[in-house]
């Protein structure tokens, strides 16, 4: 079991529970002991038990977490900062909100990808049933009447006959493709290579670019709330974001602008990490001494905007696929029904 086995939901809940215990005057060690006793999940109990064993050795909280090998490096780094700055409860609560946002984003991405694929599969299935099963029946009906179906219907029927003959090979081919795709996504190293390739090519554009901006704002809000200075925060985020050359270039440009004396809001805007509107909000927050709160609000708004965009993509794809399916099915049925109606009219 690796740290990748811990879901964002589990991590968010863990951070929130420890934060609440600390604010209630309970030490980390005592809090972990309480969680171990009450943990219903077998794997979760194993993680907490190892964490408790490390704490009993007298190490700090972040060292105990790092020693388990289960927790994300970014989370461990932020807890280290929170411990050293004396604001661990606040850092943990910020981390809880961060990983909750990441979970919502992950669900939105999965829904945006999965639902259209399922709908497309149903559409293809309906069309294939018409071509493979229904058209041959109509062809027999036309043959008994001494007539022929339209050329379009005959071409589709011949494709259906070919498809039926080659169905075993086609099904085997798609099974192999599905197995390869599943293997690529199930194996972390392969999945990370795929994600890295996508981010390197399109990481600063479109939906992927907005996903990176949302994740940046959320991570930056945690770092700022933990008391980490701006340049160190950017360097920390860059060290955990080696998958996107485009985003790392933006980080480097932002750091260069900060070193030249630009404000954080201007540097983030000029580096095209934040939009002018979000940069203005950060500028106001910086001016009023609430830069961390402003960044947290920017992260929240970017998260909502991104989820709305994902929902919008799905809502546009659904009617499009339904319309395409209706047109194809209608064309197939009309290609046999209109000649049949003509024959019945002439007989009548």
């Amino acid at each position: 079991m690796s740290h990748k086995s811990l879901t964002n939901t589990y991590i968010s809940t863990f951070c929130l529970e420890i934060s609440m215990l600390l604010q209630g005057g309970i030490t980390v060690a005592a809090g972990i002991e309480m969680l171990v006793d009450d943990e219903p999940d077998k794997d979760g109990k194993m993680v907490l038990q190892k964490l408790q064993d490390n704490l009993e050795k007298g190490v700090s909280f972040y060292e105990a977490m790092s020693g388990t090998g289960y927790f994300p490096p970014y989370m461990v780094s932020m807890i280290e900062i929170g411990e050293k700055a004396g604001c661990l409860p606040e850092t943990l609560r910020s981390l809880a909100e961060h990983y909750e946002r990441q979970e919502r984003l992950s669900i939105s991405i999965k829904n945006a990808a999965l639902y259209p694929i399922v709908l497309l599969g149903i559409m293809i299935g309906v069309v294939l049933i018409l071509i493979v099963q229904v058209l041959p029946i109509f062809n027999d009906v036309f043959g008994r009447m001494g007539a022929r179906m339209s050329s379009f219907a005959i071409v589709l029927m011949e494709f259906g006959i070919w498809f039926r003959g080659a169905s075993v090979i086609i099904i085997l081919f798609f099974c192999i493709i599905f197995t390869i795709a599943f293997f690529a996504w199930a194996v972390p190293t392969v999945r990370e290579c795929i994600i890295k390739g996508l981010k390197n090519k399109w990481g600063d554009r479109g939906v992927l670019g907005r996903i990176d901006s949302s994740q940046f704002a959320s991570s930056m809000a945690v770092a700022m709330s933990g008391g980490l200075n701006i340049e160190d925060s950017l360097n920390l985020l860059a060290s955990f974001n080696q998958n996107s050359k485009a985003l790392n270039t933006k980080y480097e440009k932002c750091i260069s602008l900060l070193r030249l004396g630009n404000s954080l809001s201007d540097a983030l805007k000029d580096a095209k990490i934040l939009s002018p509107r979000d940069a203005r909000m950060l500028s106001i927050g910086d001016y009023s001494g609430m830069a961390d709160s402003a960044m947290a609000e920017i992260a929240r708004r970017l998260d909502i905007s991104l989820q709305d965009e994902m929902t919008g993509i799905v809502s546009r794809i659904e009617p499009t696929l339904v319309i395409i399916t209706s047109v194809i099915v209608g064309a197939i049925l009309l290609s046999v029904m209109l000649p049949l109606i003509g024959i019945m009219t002439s007989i009548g």
Side-chain angles (χ1 to χ4, degrees), residues 2 12 34-35 63-64 96 101 125 143 145 147 194 196 205 207 237 255 282 290 307 314 324 326:
S2 68
S12 176
M34 291 173 59
L35 294 181
E63 290 174 325
R101 284 193 291 266
M145 294 181 176
I194 294 172
K196 182 178 179 180
R205 289 176 284 173
V207 175
L237 296 184
I255 292 172
L282 181 59
M290 301 175 63
Q307 289 190 57
V314 174
I324 292 173
S326 301

Side-chain angles (χ1 to χ4, degrees), residues 97-138:
E97 295 172 356
H98 168 73
Y99 282 103
E100 183 183 358
R101 284 193 291 266
Q102 297 307 302
E103 180 63 19
R104 289 199 302 265
L105 177 59
S106 176
I107 292 172
S108 297
I109 294 172
K110 288 177 182 177
N111 290 340
L114 182 61
Y115 184 67
I117 291 174
V118 172
L119 196 59
L120 181 63
I122 294 173
M123 180 189 83
I124 293 173
V126 170
V127 173
L128 286 176
I129 289 173
L130 284 174
I131 293 174
V132 175
Q133 298 292 337
V134 177
L135 284 183
I137 296 174
F138 275 103

Side-chain angles (χ1 to χ4, degrees), residues 276-294:
R277 182 182 295 274
D278 291 333
R280 185 181 67 180
M281 178 182 291
L282 181 59
S283 176
I284 294 171
D286 193 19
Y287 181 78
S288 60
M290 301 175 63
D292 55 341
S293 299

Side-chain angles (χ1 to χ4, degrees), residues 31-344:
I32 296 298
E33 184 178 356
M34 291 173 59
L35 294 181
V36 171
D37 294 337
D38 295 335
E39 177 60 54
D41 181 69
K42 178 182 176 182
D43 291 335
K45 185 179 284 290
M46 181 178 65
V47 173
L48 293 173
Q49 185 63 61
K50 190 164 185 178
L51 181 58
Q52 182 182 20
D53 293 341
N54 289 343
L55 286 170
E56 289 175 353
K57 297 175 184 178
V59 300
S60 61
F61 186 32
Y62 79 88
E63 290 174 325
M65 293 180 68
S66 179
T68 66
Y70 296 138
F71 295 94
Y74 172 76
M75 176 185 179
V76 175
S77 296
M78 293 312 306
I79 287 179
E80 177 183 1
I81 294 167
E83 272 194 294
K84 291 180 178 179
C87 56
L88 184 57
E90 293 80 4
T91 302
L92 283 166
R93 187 169 291 274
S94 296
L95 282 168
E97 295 172 356
H98 168 73
Y99 282 103
E100 183 183 358
R101 284 193 291 266
Q102 297 307 302
E103 180 63 19
R104 289 199 302 265
L105 177 59
S106 176
I107 292 172
S108 297
I109 294 172
K110 288 177 182 177
N111 290 340
L114 182 61
Y115 184 67
I117 291 174
V118 172
L119 196 59
L120 181 63
I122 294 173
M123 180 189 83
I124 293 173
V126 170
V127 173
L128 286 176
I129 289 173
L130 284 174
I131 293 174
V132 175
Q133 298 292 337
V134 177
L135 284 183
I137 296 174
F138 275 103
N139 188 53
D140 291 340
V141 172
F142 275 89
R144 292 192 187 100
M145 294 181 176
R148 283 170 55 87
M149 292 192 300
S150 67
S151 300
F152 176 70
I154 291 174
V155 170
L156 288 177
M157 185 186 70
E158 289 175 350
F159 172 78
I161 293 171
W162 171 84
F163 181 86
R164 182 185 293 176
S167 59
V168 175
I169 298 174
I170 293 172
I171 292 172
L172 181 62
F173 172 77
F174 279 104
C175 284
I176 293 173
I177 295 297
F178 175 79
T179 302
I180 292 173
F182 179 79
F183 174 80
W185 192 253
V187 178
T189 53
V190 179
R191 183 174 69 243
E192 287 172 6
C193 287
I194 294 172
I195 294 173
K196 182 178 179 180
L198 292 172
K199 284 190 171 184
N200 279 335
K201 192 170 182 62
W202 298 294
D204 60 339
R205 289 176 284 173
V207 175
L208 284 178
R210 286 185 282 279
I211 289 172
D212 275 335
S213 294
S214 176
Q215 292 176 335
F216 165 82
S218 182
S219 300
M220 195 70 176
V222 176
M224 292 171 69
S225 68
L228 195 63
N229 68 57
I230 302 304
E231 187 171 332
D232 287 343
S233 298
L234 289 168
N235 286 324
L236 177 65
L237 296 184
S239 69
F240 291 115
N241 193 75
Q242 299 299 324
N243 290 334
S244 175
K245 292 179 181 178
L247 192 58
N248 283 335
T249 300
K250 291 181 178 181
Y251 284 153
E252 292 170 3
K253 182 178 180 180
C254 183
I255 292 172
S256 298
L257 291 170
L258 286 171
R259 289 173 178 172
L260 290 173
N262 288 270
S263 65
L264 176 61
S265 57
D266 288 339
L268 291 174
K269 180 181 67 175
D270 293 341
K272 297 183 179 179
I273 296 176
L274 292 182
S275 68
R277 182 182 295 274
D278 291 333
R280 185 181 67 180
M281 178 182 291
L282 181 59
S283 176
I284 294 171
D286 193 19
Y287 181 78
S288 60
M290 301 175 63
D292 55 341
S293 299
M295 185 62 78
E297 178 62 20
I298 290 169
R300 187 188 70 83
R301 293 189 178 194
L302 286 174
D303 177 61
I304 294 173
S305 176
L306 192 55
Q307 289 190 57
D308 290 341
E309 183 174 0
M310 293 292 184
T311 303
I313 291 172
V314 174
S315 64
R316 288 192 296 271
I317 291 176
E318 179 182 2
T320 301
L321 290 178
V322 170
I323 290 171
I324 292 173
T325 306
S326 301
V327 170
I328 294 174
V329 171
I332 294 172
L333 293 178
L334 286 175
S335 68
V336 293
M337 293 303 296
L338 289 178
L340 186 60
I341 292 171
I343 294 171
M344 298 300 293

